[in-house]
Amino acid sequence: RVLSEDGVQQALAIGAGFESAEIPIGTVTSSEYCRAFSTAALAFKDYEKDPALNFLPFEDYTDEQVEEMKVSVMPLLTATPADGTNNIIVGHDDIFESAAGIYPDPQGIAYIVKPDGSGGMEVIANVLPEEWGEL
């Protein structure tokens, strides 16, 4: 599925918010699915696709499938960014929920996580797309 016009505007607002707040960006990683990589391209321009961010193609997940998604995404969520930068991950609700136990709602919400250096992370904030411009 492609981004709606609202999604396009949200992605542009996110990118503008990062730029105006001078938030230093390290790596930008997106899933291989259209809405995610379109968001990454509009907001951040340069990005890499990573299948670890793709959700599994099932309506309901088994415990094993949730664990599979968690194992795939945790290395990205717990990677320590280069000094003075922030890693950006553009993914999907089910993937994040598998790792953090938080279902991202509404669409476009971002979670700020801090790697603990031991393979875990702490969720320290969330930001709605329209809030990036207020930082």
Side-chain angles (χ1 to χ4, degrees):
R1 298 184 324 194
V2 297
L3 278 177
S4 67
E5 185 55 35
D6 284 344
V8 168
Q9 293 309 312
Q10 287 179 340
L12 293 170
I14 291 166
F18 268 77
E19 189 173 319
S20 68
E22 298 180 355
I23 298 170
I25 299 171
T27 63
V28 178
T29 309
S30 169
S31 88
E32 298 175 314
Y33 297 148
C34 184
R35 289 189 301 165
F37 71 73
S38 295
T39 298
L42 288 166
F44 305 108
K45 311 296 184 267
D46 296 321
Y47 66 95
E48 292 186 18
K49 293 179 188 175
D50 190 325
L53 292 170
N54 297 348
F55 56 85
L56 297 176
F58 303 103
E59 185 65 30
D60 295 307
Y61 298 112
T62 65
D63 291 344
E64 292 78 18
Q65 291 165 331
V66 170
E67 184 63 22
E68 179 183 342
M69 288 188 292
K70 180 179 180 178
V71 166
S72 289
V73 75
M74 284 301 286
L76 293 169
L77 291 172
T78 61
T80 303
D83 285 346
T85 68
N86 299 278
N87 293 339
I88 311 299
I89 297 171
V90 183
H92 305 280
D93 49 17
D94 294 335
I95 292 290
F96 186 74
E97 182 181 28
S98 74
I102 300 169
Y103 185 81
D105 189 44
Q107 293 277 322
I109 193 168
Y111 286 86
I112 314 303
V113 301
K114 181 178 180 181
D116 66 12
S118 300
M121 65 178 179
E122 175 187 3
V123 177
I124 57 175
N126 64 54
V127 182
L128 294 168
E130 61 272 14
E131 294 174 330
W132 287 106
E134 300 168 11
L135 297 177

